[in-house]
Amino acid sequence: MIPLRQNIAEMAGYVPGFQPADAASYIKLNTNENPYPPAPSVLAAIAAEAGEGLRRYPDAASRLAREEAGRLYGFDPSWVIMANGSDEVLNNLIRAFAGEGEEVAYVHPSYSYYGTLTNIQGARVRTFGLTDDFQIAGLPERYQGKLFFLTNPNAPLGFTYSQSFIASLAERIDGMLVVDEAYADFADENSLELVKSHENVVVTRTFSKSYSLAGMRLGLAIARPQVIDALNKIRDHYNLDRLAQAAAAAALKDQEYFRSCVARIRETRERFTAELLRLGFQVIPSSGNYVFATPPGGDGAALYEALYQRRILVRHFTDPLLRHGVRISIGTAEEMAKTVETIAQIVA
Ligand SMILES: *Cc1c(COP(=O)(O)O)cnc(C)c1O
């Protein structure tokens, strides 16, 4: 008998999106990666760092990347922490705020990894559902749990909550409100101002989607310095390696390349949505780099399978709330044109 902690023995591990070994032979639209390469300036910064200096430890404070982030978002660097993927900082927020048996909440459906991280900590998961018009169902007048994770834009559905709602939510929560803005770069609004106005609001970002750097594992959080100081106590001291720090600083600096990629993805998203609607799909208007689409007949699994046979990889969730549709990441205009053509053949 291996003497595991009971919560670890009993939990199911998180299952990440499928990463096929021969990814290049698919149109890969299943994990919301960016179809465009990282900025040339980012690749040059990584190459410049990949030398004899790697024998030295990196800067434990990720100072240059934090300064770039602070400049870009309008915060002193003391309000910024860099993370080895935003998943790292989500984990450390739970470790900082929710003790064993204490409560962590999130909306279902959203990013179920919050639940996995909460179970590892030995804290308790509470989920809130959604009404038909995407309001949070059953929210108490005061929420007394330690943390509330709000994915905005929602993943996998793509809708957004208004900033006035998020402000009122922060005011109803005794604990911390973490606004997971993994996809906010593709949306019209974000909650950075709420970090200034509400001391219990934390915003998290990732470089995996909008900055084309899923392979580098980079994220960040913005919060009051007292929160950042606590997170700094918890994280691995060298959480970002030298290549990641160089990539992060260069990516945040090169806003021109970034903006052009985001603009193209938003444009392609709107065109793809219109074409699916024309084919009789139901499509939730999306503020992310993906759409949640329900085919005529509502059999998401069959559509997933038919696309997979034709080497187009999308995401199907078996959850009863999601199995009627599929989540399709937005690729290049060419990839999405091919996808529409293939879907038209499938539904014909
Ligand atoms: C992709 C994603 C993350 C994880 O981002 P990483 O920086 O790759 O760890 C976190 N939250 C949501 C909602 C995501 O979709």
Short mmCIF file of all heavy atoms in Angstrom, two decimals, residues 14 31-32 83-90 110-111 113-114 151-155 180-183 204-209 213-214 217-220 290 327, ligand 1:
data_model
loop_
_atom_site.label_atom_id
_atom_site.label_comp_id
_atom_site.label_asym_id
_atom_site.label_seq_id
_atom_site.Cartn_x
_atom_site.Cartn_y
_atom_site.Cartn_z
N TYR A 14 -6.12 15.81 -14.26
CA TYR A 14 -6.63 16.65 -15.34
C TYR A 14 -6.20 16.04 -16.68
O TYR A 14 -5.07 15.55 -16.81
CB TYR A 14 -6.07 18.07 -15.21
CG TYR A 14 -6.57 19.02 -16.26
CD1 TYR A 14 -7.86 19.54 -16.17
CD2 TYR A 14 -5.77 19.40 -17.33
CE1 TYR A 14 -8.34 20.43 -17.13
CE2 TYR A 14 -6.24 20.29 -18.29
CZ TYR A 14 -7.52 20.80 -18.19
OH TYR A 14 -7.99 21.66 -19.14
N THR A 31 -6.81 23.13 -29.18
CA THR A 31 -6.30 23.62 -27.89
C THR A 31 -6.05 25.13 -27.88
O THR A 31 -5.27 25.63 -27.05
CB THR A 31 -5.04 22.86 -27.41
OG1 THR A 31 -4.08 22.82 -28.46
CG2 THR A 31 -5.36 21.43 -26.98
N ASN A 32 -6.72 25.84 -28.76
CA ASN A 32 -6.70 27.31 -28.76
C ASN A 32 -5.30 27.91 -28.88
O ASN A 32 -5.03 29.01 -28.40
CB ASN A 32 -7.39 27.87 -27.51
CG ASN A 32 -8.88 27.55 -27.51
OD1 ASN A 32 -9.42 27.13 -28.52
ND2 ASN A 32 -9.54 27.76 -26.38
N ALA A 83 4.78 34.08 -14.32
CA ALA A 83 4.47 32.68 -13.98
C ALA A 83 4.91 31.75 -15.10
O ALA A 83 4.94 32.13 -16.27
CB ALA A 83 2.98 32.51 -13.73
N ASN A 84 5.23 30.53 -14.70
CA ASN A 84 5.63 29.47 -15.62
C ASN A 84 4.34 28.87 -16.23
O ASN A 84 3.91 27.79 -15.88
CB ASN A 84 6.44 28.44 -14.83
CG ASN A 84 6.96 27.31 -15.67
OD1 ASN A 84 6.86 27.34 -16.89
ND2 ASN A 84 7.48 26.29 -15.04
N GLY A 85 3.71 29.66 -17.09
CA GLY A 85 2.35 29.36 -17.56
C GLY A 85 1.37 29.95 -16.56
O GLY A 85 1.66 30.00 -15.35
N SER A 86 0.22 30.43 -17.03
CA SER A 86 -0.71 31.01 -16.05
C SER A 86 -1.22 29.92 -15.11
O SER A 86 -1.59 30.20 -13.97
CB SER A 86 -1.84 31.79 -16.72
OG SER A 86 -2.76 30.93 -17.32
N ASP A 87 -1.17 28.66 -15.54
CA ASP A 87 -1.54 27.56 -14.63
C ASP A 87 -0.75 27.62 -13.31
O ASP A 87 -1.28 27.30 -12.25
CB ASP A 87 -1.29 26.20 -15.30
CG ASP A 87 -2.33 25.87 -16.38
OD1 ASP A 87 -3.38 26.53 -16.44
OD2 ASP A 87 -2.08 24.93 -17.15
N GLU A 88 0.52 28.01 -13.39
CA GLU A 88 1.32 28.07 -12.16
C GLU A 88 0.75 29.08 -11.18
O GLU A 88 0.64 28.81 -9.98
CB GLU A 88 2.78 28.44 -12.46
CG GLU A 88 3.65 28.38 -11.20
CD GLU A 88 4.86 29.31 -11.18
OE1 GLU A 88 4.99 30.20 -12.04
OE2 GLU A 88 5.67 29.14 -10.26
N VAL A 89 0.36 30.23 -11.68
CA VAL A 89 -0.11 31.26 -10.75
C VAL A 89 -1.53 30.96 -10.26
O VAL A 89 -1.88 31.28 -9.13
CB VAL A 89 0.07 32.69 -11.34
CG1 VAL A 89 -0.99 33.06 -12.33
CG2 VAL A 89 0.14 33.72 -10.22
N LEU A 90 -2.33 30.26 -11.08
CA LEU A 90 -3.65 29.81 -10.59
C LEU A 90 -3.44 28.87 -9.40
O LEU A 90 -4.11 28.98 -8.36
CB LEU A 90 -4.41 29.09 -11.71
CG LEU A 90 -4.75 29.92 -12.96
CD1 LEU A 90 -5.35 29.03 -14.05
CD2 LEU A 90 -5.68 31.08 -12.64
N SER A 110 -16.50 26.14 -17.21
CA SER A 110 -15.38 27.03 -17.55
C SER A 110 -14.13 26.15 -17.51
O SER A 110 -14.18 25.03 -18.02
CB SER A 110 -15.31 28.26 -16.63
OG SER A 110 -14.87 27.95 -15.34
N TYR A 111 -13.06 26.61 -16.89
CA TYR A 111 -11.79 25.89 -16.95
C TYR A 111 -11.73 24.93 -15.76
O TYR A 111 -11.51 25.36 -14.63
CB TYR A 111 -10.67 26.92 -16.91
CG TYR A 111 -9.27 26.42 -17.15
CD1 TYR A 111 -8.99 25.50 -18.15
CD2 TYR A 111 -8.21 26.92 -16.41
CE1 TYR A 111 -7.69 25.08 -18.38
CE2 TYR A 111 -6.90 26.52 -16.63
CZ TYR A 111 -6.65 25.61 -17.62
OH TYR A 111 -5.36 25.20 -17.85
N TYR A 113 -9.65 22.94 -14.68
CA TYR A 113 -8.36 22.76 -13.99
C TYR A 113 -8.37 23.43 -12.61
O TYR A 113 -7.66 22.99 -11.71
CB TYR A 113 -7.23 23.31 -14.87
CG TYR A 113 -5.85 22.95 -14.38
CD1 TYR A 113 -5.49 21.64 -14.10
CD2 TYR A 113 -4.86 23.93 -14.22
CE1 TYR A 113 -4.21 21.31 -13.66
CE2 TYR A 113 -3.58 23.62 -13.79
CZ TYR A 113 -3.27 22.31 -13.51
OH TYR A 113 -2.00 21.99 -13.08
N TYR A 114 -9.20 24.50 -12.43
CA TYR A 114 -9.32 25.10 -11.08
C TYR A 114 -9.73 24.03 -10.08
O TYR A 114 -9.28 24.03 -8.94
CB TYR A 114 -10.40 26.20 -11.04
CG TYR A 114 -10.37 27.24 -12.13
CD1 TYR A 114 -11.52 27.53 -12.87
CD2 TYR A 114 -9.21 27.96 -12.41
CE1 TYR A 114 -11.52 28.50 -13.86
CE2 TYR A 114 -9.20 28.93 -13.41
CZ TYR A 114 -10.36 29.19 -14.14
OH TYR A 114 -10.36 30.14 -15.12
N THR A 151 -13.70 32.96 -15.40
CA THR A 151 -13.00 32.93 -16.69
C THR A 151 -13.70 33.93 -17.60
O THR A 151 -14.87 33.74 -17.93
CB THR A 151 -13.09 31.51 -17.30
OG1 THR A 151 -12.90 30.55 -16.26
CG2 THR A 151 -12.08 31.32 -18.39
N ASN A 152 -13.00 34.98 -17.98
CA ASN A 152 -13.62 36.02 -18.81
C ASN A 152 -12.66 36.49 -19.90
O ASN A 152 -11.62 37.06 -19.59
CB ASN A 152 -14.03 37.21 -17.94
CG ASN A 152 -14.94 38.15 -18.71
OD1 ASN A 152 -15.90 37.71 -19.32
ND2 ASN A 152 -14.63 39.43 -18.71
N PRO A 153 -12.99 36.27 -21.19
CA PRO A 153 -14.14 35.57 -21.74
C PRO A 153 -14.25 34.13 -21.21
O PRO A 153 -13.23 33.51 -20.91
CB PRO A 153 -13.87 35.56 -23.25
CG PRO A 153 -12.91 36.68 -23.49
CD PRO A 153 -12.11 36.81 -22.24
N ASN A 154 -15.50 33.65 -21.15
CA ASN A 154 -15.70 32.27 -20.72
C ASN A 154 -15.08 31.31 -21.74
O ASN A 154 -15.17 31.51 -22.94
CB ASN A 154 -17.21 31.96 -20.59
CG ASN A 154 -17.48 30.51 -20.21
OD1 ASN A 154 -17.50 29.63 -21.07
ND2 ASN A 154 -17.67 30.24 -18.94
N ALA A 155 -14.41 30.29 -21.22
CA ALA A 155 -13.98 29.18 -22.07
C ALA A 155 -14.70 27.95 -21.52
O ALA A 155 -14.72 27.77 -20.31
CB ALA A 155 -12.47 29.00 -22.00
N ASP A 180 -9.70 35.22 -14.72
CA ASP A 180 -8.77 34.51 -15.60
C ASP A 180 -8.98 35.04 -17.01
O ASP A 180 -9.94 34.68 -17.70
CB ASP A 180 -9.03 33.01 -15.51
CG ASP A 180 -8.09 32.19 -16.40
OD1 ASP A 180 -7.45 32.76 -17.31
OD2 ASP A 180 -8.00 30.96 -16.19
N GLU A 181 -8.07 35.93 -17.42
CA GLU A 181 -8.20 36.59 -18.72
C GLU A 181 -7.30 35.94 -19.76
O GLU A 181 -6.63 36.63 -20.55
CB GLU A 181 -7.88 38.09 -18.57
CG GLU A 181 -8.92 38.83 -17.74
CD GLU A 181 -8.84 40.35 -17.87
OE1 GLU A 181 -7.79 40.86 -18.32
OE2 GLU A 181 -9.83 41.02 -17.52
N ALA A 182 -7.32 34.62 -19.81
CA ALA A 182 -6.51 33.89 -20.79
C ALA A 182 -6.81 34.37 -22.22
O ALA A 182 -5.94 34.35 -23.08
CB ALA A 182 -6.75 32.39 -20.67
N TYR A 183 -8.06 34.80 -22.44
CA TYR A 183 -8.48 35.18 -23.80
C TYR A 183 -8.83 36.66 -23.93
O TYR A 183 -9.38 37.07 -24.95
CB TYR A 183 -9.67 34.31 -24.23
CG TYR A 183 -9.32 32.84 -24.19
CD1 TYR A 183 -9.72 32.04 -23.14
CD2 TYR A 183 -8.53 32.28 -25.19
CE1 TYR A 183 -9.37 30.70 -23.09
CE2 TYR A 183 -8.17 30.95 -25.15
CZ TYR A 183 -8.60 30.16 -24.09
OH TYR A 183 -8.23 28.84 -24.05
N THR A 204 -5.36 37.31 -14.21
CA THR A 204 -4.30 36.46 -14.73
C THR A 204 -4.32 36.47 -16.26
O THR A 204 -5.38 36.59 -16.87
CB THR A 204 -4.42 35.00 -14.23
OG1 THR A 204 -5.65 34.44 -14.69
CG2 THR A 204 -4.37 34.94 -12.72
N ARG A 205 -3.16 36.39 -16.84
CA ARG A 205 -3.01 36.36 -18.29
C ARG A 205 -2.07 35.21 -18.68
O ARG A 205 -1.26 34.78 -17.86
CB ARG A 205 -2.37 37.68 -18.79
CG ARG A 205 -3.25 38.92 -18.57
CD ARG A 205 -4.32 39.01 -19.63
NE ARG A 205 -5.21 40.14 -19.41
CZ ARG A 205 -5.07 41.35 -19.96
NH1 ARG A 205 -4.03 41.60 -20.74
NH2 ARG A 205 -5.94 42.31 -19.73
N THR A 206 -2.16 34.80 -19.92
CA THR A 206 -1.23 33.80 -20.44
C THR A 206 -0.63 34.29 -21.75
O THR A 206 -1.26 35.05 -22.48
CB THR A 206 -1.92 32.44 -20.67
OG1 THR A 206 -1.00 31.55 -21.31
CG2 THR A 206 -3.16 32.57 -21.57
N PHE A 207 0.59 33.83 -22.04
CA PHE A 207 1.22 34.10 -23.33
C PHE A 207 0.92 32.96 -24.32
O PHE A 207 1.39 32.97 -25.45
CB PHE A 207 2.73 34.23 -23.17
CG PHE A 207 3.19 35.45 -22.41
CD1 PHE A 207 2.86 35.64 -21.07
CD2 PHE A 207 3.97 36.43 -23.04
CE1 PHE A 207 3.28 36.77 -20.37
CE2 PHE A 207 4.40 37.55 -22.35
CZ PHE A 207 4.05 37.72 -21.01
N SER A 208 0.16 31.96 -23.87
CA SER A 208 -0.02 30.75 -24.68
C SER A 208 -0.92 30.97 -25.88
O SER A 208 -0.80 30.27 -26.87
CB SER A 208 -0.61 29.63 -23.82
OG SER A 208 0.27 29.28 -22.79
N LYS A 209 -1.86 31.89 -25.77
CA LYS A 209 -2.84 32.06 -26.83
C LYS A 209 -2.52 33.28 -27.68
O LYS A 209 -2.07 33.17 -28.81
CB LYS A 209 -4.25 32.12 -26.25
CG LYS A 209 -4.81 30.75 -25.84
CD LYS A 209 -4.33 30.24 -24.52
CE LYS A 209 -4.83 28.85 -24.20
NZ LYS A 209 -5.23 28.71 -22.80
N LEU A 213 2.86 31.63 -27.66
CA LEU A 213 3.99 31.07 -26.91
C LEU A 213 3.57 29.93 -25.97
O LEU A 213 4.14 29.79 -24.89
CB LEU A 213 4.70 32.19 -26.12
CG LEU A 213 5.54 33.15 -26.97
CD1 LEU A 213 5.97 34.37 -26.15
CD2 LEU A 213 6.77 32.44 -27.55
N ALA A 214 2.61 29.11 -26.40
CA ALA A 214 2.19 27.99 -25.55
C ALA A 214 3.37 27.09 -25.19
O ALA A 214 3.45 26.56 -24.08
CB ALA A 214 1.09 27.17 -26.25
N ARG A 217 5.62 28.26 -21.99
CA ARG A 217 5.04 28.24 -20.64
C ARG A 217 5.26 29.59 -19.95
O ARG A 217 6.17 29.77 -19.14
CB ARG A 217 5.62 27.10 -19.77
CG ARG A 217 5.60 25.72 -20.41
CD ARG A 217 4.21 25.33 -20.89
NE ARG A 217 3.24 25.35 -19.81
CZ ARG A 217 2.07 26.03 -19.85
NH1 ARG A 217 1.73 26.72 -20.92
NH2 ARG A 217 1.26 26.01 -18.83
N LEU A 218 4.42 30.55 -20.28
CA LEU A 218 4.52 31.90 -19.71
C LEU A 218 3.15 32.45 -19.37
O LEU A 218 2.22 32.37 -20.18
CB LEU A 218 5.15 32.85 -20.75
CG LEU A 218 6.66 32.89 -20.85
CD1 LEU A 218 7.07 33.66 -22.10
CD2 LEU A 218 7.26 33.52 -19.60
N GLY A 219 3.04 33.00 -18.19
CA GLY A 219 1.82 33.70 -17.79
C GLY A 219 2.18 34.80 -16.83
O GLY A 219 3.36 35.01 -16.50
N LEU A 220 1.19 35.53 -16.39
CA LEU A 220 1.45 36.55 -15.36
C LEU A 220 0.15 36.83 -14.60
O LEU A 220 -0.94 36.47 -15.05
CB LEU A 220 2.04 37.83 -15.96
CG LEU A 220 1.26 38.62 -17.02
CD1 LEU A 220 0.17 39.49 -16.41
CD2 LEU A 220 2.22 39.50 -17.80
N TYR A 290 -11.72 31.18 -30.31
CA TYR A 290 -12.42 29.90 -30.50
C TYR A 290 -13.90 30.22 -30.55
O TYR A 290 -14.33 31.31 -30.14
CB TYR A 290 -12.14 28.95 -29.31
CG TYR A 290 -12.38 29.63 -28.00
CD1 TYR A 290 -13.64 29.62 -27.39
CD2 TYR A 290 -11.37 30.36 -27.39
CE1 TYR A 290 -13.87 30.29 -26.21
CE2 TYR A 290 -11.60 31.05 -26.21
CZ TYR A 290 -12.85 31.01 -25.62
OH TYR A 290 -13.09 31.70 -24.47
N ARG A 327 -15.93 22.81 -29.58
CA ARG A 327 -15.19 24.07 -29.52
C ARG A 327 -14.13 24.04 -30.62
O ARG A 327 -13.36 23.08 -30.72
CB ARG A 327 -14.50 24.24 -28.16
CG ARG A 327 -13.91 25.64 -27.98
CD ARG A 327 -12.95 25.69 -26.81
NE ARG A 327 -11.76 24.89 -27.09
CZ ARG A 327 -10.82 24.60 -26.19
NH1 ARG A 327 -10.95 25.01 -24.94
NH2 ARG A 327 -9.77 23.88 -26.52
C1 LIG B 1 -5.06 28.10 -21.72
C2 LIG B 1 -5.72 28.52 -20.43
C3 LIG B 1 -4.98 28.66 -19.26
C4 LIG B 1 -3.56 28.16 -19.14
O1 LIG B 1 -2.65 28.95 -19.67
P1 LIG B 1 -1.10 28.54 -19.61
O2 LIG B 1 -0.42 29.85 -19.52
O3 LIG B 1 -0.81 27.81 -20.88
O4 LIG B 1 -0.88 27.71 -18.39
C5 LIG B 1 -5.60 29.17 -18.14
N1 LIG B 1 -6.91 29.47 -18.15
C6 LIG B 1 -7.66 29.30 -19.25
C7 LIG B 1 -9.11 29.65 -19.21
C8 LIG B 1 -7.08 28.81 -20.41
O5 LIG B 1 -7.84 28.59 -21.50
#
